[in-house]
Amino acid sequence: MNPDHLSIRPNQPSREPNPMKRFAITSLTILIVCAAWAGIVYAALDRGWGLRPIAEQGDTQAFLAEAEKTAATKSAGNLALVLIEDGERVGDFQFSKGNPVDGDALFQVASLGKWLTAWGVMVLVEDGSIDLDAPVSRYLTRWQWPASEFDTSEVTVRRLLSHTAGLSDGLGYDGFATAAERQTLEQSLTRAADASPGKDGRVAVGSRPGSGWEYSGGGYTVLQLVIEEISGQSFEDFMRDRVFHPLGMRRTTFDHKQALELGVAQNFRSDGGSEPFRWYTALAATSLFTTANDLARFLEVQAAGRANPVLGVDAMKEIVTPHASQMGAEIWGLGAMLYAPNNAGGYVFGHDGSNGPAINTAARIEPSTGDGIVVLSTGHTTLATELAGEWVFWKTGNVDNLSFLTRLPIALTILALGWCLIFAISILWAARTKRPQSDA
């Protein structure tokens, strides 16, 4: 064979993609699709996709009817609801499986009392007796912070009000069976004997103050002590004289003996059984007694343009100024929870309360319209919060933060199922498109 006629063919590139490149492209595609699915699930949760208001917007009577139907179906105890529009009460109903209740029935409202405690603190700020940004230890003589690796001088009144002081107690108080069992305020701050399950009861600085948000009942017990130290009065008397009576809240008190004299609504468990009265040391954090009608008065003075006999404009602005956020949402002011945008440049705000065995309370105000809702209940652990969340969605079309958290487990399940499906489809696709290696 003539060598001149020989031809040498260059090596032909393999048609099989580089395995590493193929793997990288596939992995990146899966990550992008998974991220897109996560974004869709989050948007659906945050914006209420698939949710419908329980009544036509603007139909107050329909909302009340649906709320009452829900209460009758779910409650194993009692409930009082008041609806406010344009700063005036437009409807209410009460429901009970035990002794009848009305709008003046006295409920223990648990953590909802923190909101009113914040007003007491802001009264002293307006008096010039407290600096929001001074170390809170400046105002304490009866108790001081335990040793901490963090700088306790950075714990300020502002940070205590907004749950950003770095406290790690996570309290929760269960109360005592008798008045005689109650601790002093100082003993409770050192180690609460009635700490909620899973909490050791110590109030201490466990992370750098100002570094983030962490709910602290103990922080409000410290504020209770601050009010007593600065005012020279008992906490109960100060709140009565400077907050409740000026607002016309005559059936509202932190005083347990007065609450018993006024007559407290029965406290029910979720199974319908009744619970005995409990006594608390940590009043500011968890043991306000009030009525639906009194809380309606409290909301009414917060409507835009209404005269406020307790706090001035600057103090009210501080209360609703965002001081903490989670997952990109502003969630807390100074003593007030920020539930959702009100579509007018501000927030629907207020507070909820929850305590054992099945106390659940909620109050919301949309200040630009003067619309609000009060729901006080026992006998169901989440009913008041659910109804208030429905009200926020009905009024604004926005999902409030507590409703978001309630629906989060379902959303995470949907997210996980979607990811599993994406991975399953990817594996099947890879198996079908992979070509066998050709023999050399």
Side-chain angles (χ1 to χ4, degrees):
M1 182 179 288
N2 188 339
D4 292 338
H5 293 157
L6 293 176
S7 62
I8 301 174
R9 296 181 180 180
N11 291 332
Q12 296 295 318
S14 172
R15 295 183 181 181
E16 182 70 23
N18 182 294
M20 291 302 295
K21 183 177 181 181
R22 179 189 181 94
F23 177 78
I25 293 172
T26 301
S27 298
L28 180 60
T29 302
I30 292 172
L31 287 174
I32 291 172
V33 174
C34 284
W37 175 242
I40 292 169
V41 172
Y42 178 84
L45 179 63
D46 184 54
R47 299 180 185 179
W49 293 352
L51 293 181
R52 293 182 60 188
I54 66 172
E56 290 294 325
Q57 191 171 41
D59 191 340
T60 301
Q61 294 309 311
F63 179 89
L64 283 166
E66 289 299 318
E68 188 165 9
K69 186 187 304 181
T70 299
T73 301
K74 291 188 172 184
S75 178
N78 47 40
L79 180 142
L81 180 148
V82 175
L83 211 58
I84 299 165
E85 294 182 355
D86 298 322
E88 302 289 343
R89 270 163 277 194
V90 294
D92 65 273
F93 67 84
Q94 299 83 37
F95 174 86
S96 181
K97 293 283 180 72
N99 297 332
V101 297
D102 59 19
D104 287 325
L106 206 67
F107 287 74
Q108 195 222 27
V109 297
S111 289
L112 197 155
K114 290 182 174 72
W115 187 13
L116 288 96
T117 295
W119 276 46
V121 172
M122 296 305 291
V123 165
L124 292 173
V125 171
E126 289 197 323
D127 285 350
S129 302
I130 288 178
D131 182 340
L132 280 173
D133 298 307
V136 74
S137 55
R138 173 187 298 180
Y139 308 113
L140 301 174
T141 63
R142 291 161 44 188
W143 178 85
Q144 287 294 334
W145 297 109
S148 171
E149 62 179 294
F150 302 99
D151 186 358
T152 58
S153 70
E154 293 183 357
V155 177
T156 64
V157 173
R158 183 187 300 277
R159 287 172 172 166
L160 289 175
L161 286 169
S162 58
H163 300 283
T164 59
L167 305 192
S168 55
D169 58 274
L171 291 166
Y173 301 89
D174 281 348
F176 300 93
T178 67
E181 293 179 60
R182 284 187 296 183
Q183 296 173 286
T184 65
L185 195 49
E186 295 87 343
Q187 289 170 338
S188 182
L189 285 167
T190 299
R191 190 160 197 165
D194 62 335
S196 51
K199 308 299 179 183
D200 71 6
R202 289 178 289 189
V203 178
V205 181
S207 60
R208 183 173 63 82
S211 61
W213 181 88
E214 187 172 358
Y215 191 81
S216 168
Y220 273 74
T221 307
V222 174
L223 291 171
Q224 178 180 335
L225 179 58
V226 168
I227 286 175
E228 291 193 348
E229 296 247 42
I230 296 300
S231 70
Q233 293 181 271
S234 70
F235 176 72
E236 303 97 302
D237 288 350
F238 175 85
M239 292 297 296
R240 178 197 64 211
D241 295 344
R242 299 298 303 274
V243 179
F244 303 149
H245 281 189
L247 290 170
M249 300 173 71
R250 298 289 174 172
R251 290 180 61 81
T252 299
T253 184
F254 280 106
D255 187 321
H256 289 55
K257 290 182 179 179
Q258 184 185 9
L260 287 172
E261 291 170 0
L262 292 170
V264 181
Q266 287 174 283
N267 185 8
F268 287 93
R269 300 189 302 269
S270 296
D271 63 7
S274 62
E275 282 287 307
F277 186 85
R278 303 286 288 177
W279 299 77
Y280 292 82
T281 297
L283 306 178
T286 197
S287 196
L288 175 68
F289 297 89
T290 188
T291 72
N293 286 340
D294 270 10
L295 280 176
R297 294 184 183 94
F298 178 61
L299 296 187
E300 287 163 2
V301 302
Q302 297 180 70
R306 290 297 183 95
N308 187 328
V310 176
L311 293 177
V313 173
D314 290 343
M316 290 303 301
K317 284 182 179 178
E318 285 280 11
I319 286 173
V320 298
T321 296
H323 283 71
S325 62
Q326 279 190 326
M327 299 179 67
E330 304 291 359
I331 62 167
W332 222 275
L334 296 187
M337 301 174 73
L338 309 178
Y339 290 100
N342 66 351
N343 304 324
Y347 299 90
V348 176
F349 63 91
H351 214 292
D352 283 41
S354 183
N355 207 348
I359 293 172
N360 183 222
T361 61
R364 310 273 195 278
I365 178 71
E366 206 289 73
S368 69
T369 61
D371 298 343
I373 188 171
V374 175
V375 192
L376 308 182
S377 73
T378 70
H380 194 286
T381 56
T382 61
L383 180 55
T385 295
E386 289 175 20
L387 291 174
E390 290 281 7
W391 177 84
V392 171
F393 191 67
W394 174 63
K395 277 291 178 184
T396 68
N398 299 319
V399 177
D400 88 5
N401 292 325
L402 291 185
S403 297
F404 180 97
L405 292 175
T406 299
R407 296 171 62 223
L408 185 58
I410 297 174
L412 291 176
T413 300
I414 294 171
L415 177 65
L417 290 173
W419 281 347
C420 289
L421 182 61
I422 291 167
F423 279 110
I425 292 172
S426 301
I427 292 169
L428 290 173
W429 176 82
R432 294 188 64 177
T433 57
K434 184 178 179 181
R435 297 177 181 178
Q437 297 290 333
S438 59
D439 294 333

